[in-house]
Amino acid sequence: IVTISDGIQTFILTENPANPGIYETNNQAYGVAGRTYHLSILLKEEINGSDFYEANSAMPEVVALDSIRLNTIPQWNVVTVATYALDPPSTDYYMFKVFKNGELLTDTINKVFLTDDKFFNGSYTNGAPAAFLFQDYPREKVIPGDTVTLQIAGITRDYFYFLTELQSSSGFNNPLFGGPPANISGNVSNGAIGFFTAYSVKYAKTVAP
């Protein structure tokens, strides 16, 4: 039995018959920025001596992007996605995903761009890069007329550090000198591996000239 609650309403998730083990809400369920969400999982059989797991996540509000712009860096053969937005004076953490002509390019955790607002807290970003598209890769190559969409997500501090740790652990590691891989610290109770998160998103898009 899998449920998500924000203290006002409770969503009951059902298993997808086409994908056993995947539990989903109905298409009328949505989050509200500013609320805190509670995940509870009651198992039919115990795992490691427990049949109940839970986790909490706040859903931060996220700043709206005024616009984005594509900038080419010829010496690196890279196109950057520059952001223009007013960052609030609070301490905030962001996750960025990029779409080209509707196709998600940042489709693995190592491609997702993460940042805090340490260098522009409370000020205008004025073109700060949020993503890099490497023009040697056919999927990321941008040609005139392509539509590039940037998704900005406001994430919690804990999820930011979880993703940072996950990206670091899943990157290149020299097997001769590197230590053994360790489990990433999650937020699910009773020693479960994983992270429950809730975040709000906004979008901006531009057409490549």
Side-chain angles (χ1 to χ4, degrees), residues 25-44:
T25 64
N26 63 46
N27 58 11
Q28 301 301 312
Y30 59 90
V32 178
R35 295 183 184 176
T36 296
Y37 289 84
H38 178 79
L39 168 72
S40 66
I41 303 170
L42 179 61
L43 300 180
K44 197 181 258 188

Side-chain angles (χ1 to χ4, degrees), residues 2-206:
V2 183
T3 62
I4 296 175
S5 173
D6 64 0
I8 298 174
Q9 55 184 335
T10 298
F11 306 110
I12 300 175
L13 286 70
T14 56
E15 189 172 17
N16 186 323
N19 294 285
I22 304 297
Y23 287 78
E24 302 170 332
T25 64
N26 63 46
N27 58 11
Q28 301 301 312
Y30 59 90
V32 178
R35 295 183 184 176
T36 296
Y37 289 84
H38 178 79
L39 168 72
S40 66
I41 303 170
L42 179 61
L43 300 180
K44 197 181 258 188
E45 299 177 0
E46 291 185 354
I47 296 178
N48 292 331
S50 179
D51 64 356
F52 183 71
Y53 298 86
E54 60 184 341
N56 293 295
S57 176
M59 179 181 280
E61 182 60 85
V62 66
V63 63
L65 294 165
D66 291 339
S67 63
I68 60 173
R69 179 178 177 179
L70 303 178
N71 295 324
T72 302
I73 306 179
Q75 61 269 34
W76 295 350
N77 201 22
V78 165
V79 170
T80 67
V81 183
T83 57
Y84 296 85
L86 180 60
D87 180 71
S90 54
T91 300
D92 299 286
Y93 300 87
Y94 299 109
M95 175 176 67
F96 296 94
K97 297 182 180 181
V98 183
F99 301 78
K100 187 186 80 172
N101 300 326
E103 178 188 3
L104 178 63
L105 299 180
T106 48
D107 54 358
T108 63
I109 213 67
N110 281 331
K111 294 181 181 178
V112 171
F113 187 79
L114 305 165
T115 187
D116 56 25
D117 60 357
K118 183 187 304 181
F119 297 109
F120 48 83
N121 187 27
S123 61
Y124 203 71
T125 60
N126 201 30
F132 300 87
L133 301 177
F134 295 91
Q135 300 306 283
D136 290 333
Y137 301 154
R139 284 187 70 218
E140 299 184 15
K141 186 174 178 61
V142 178
I143 62 174
D146 282 342
T147 297
V148 175
T149 303
L150 182 71
Q151 179 197 84
I152 179 174
I155 62 177
T156 63
R157 176 184 180 275
D158 288 345
Y159 190 51
F160 172 81
Y161 284 108
F162 170 79
L163 290 178
T164 302
E165 189 177 353
L166 185 58
Q167 286 183 340
S168 176
S169 297
S170 61
F172 175 78
N173 186 28
N174 188 316
L176 183 61
F177 300 105
N183 289 337
I184 307 302
S185 301
N187 69 342
V188 185
S189 67
N190 293 325
I193 297 174
F195 200 99
F196 171 65
T197 187
Y199 54 82
S200 52
V201 300
K202 290 179 180 170
Y203 297 85
K205 66 181 179 180
T206 189

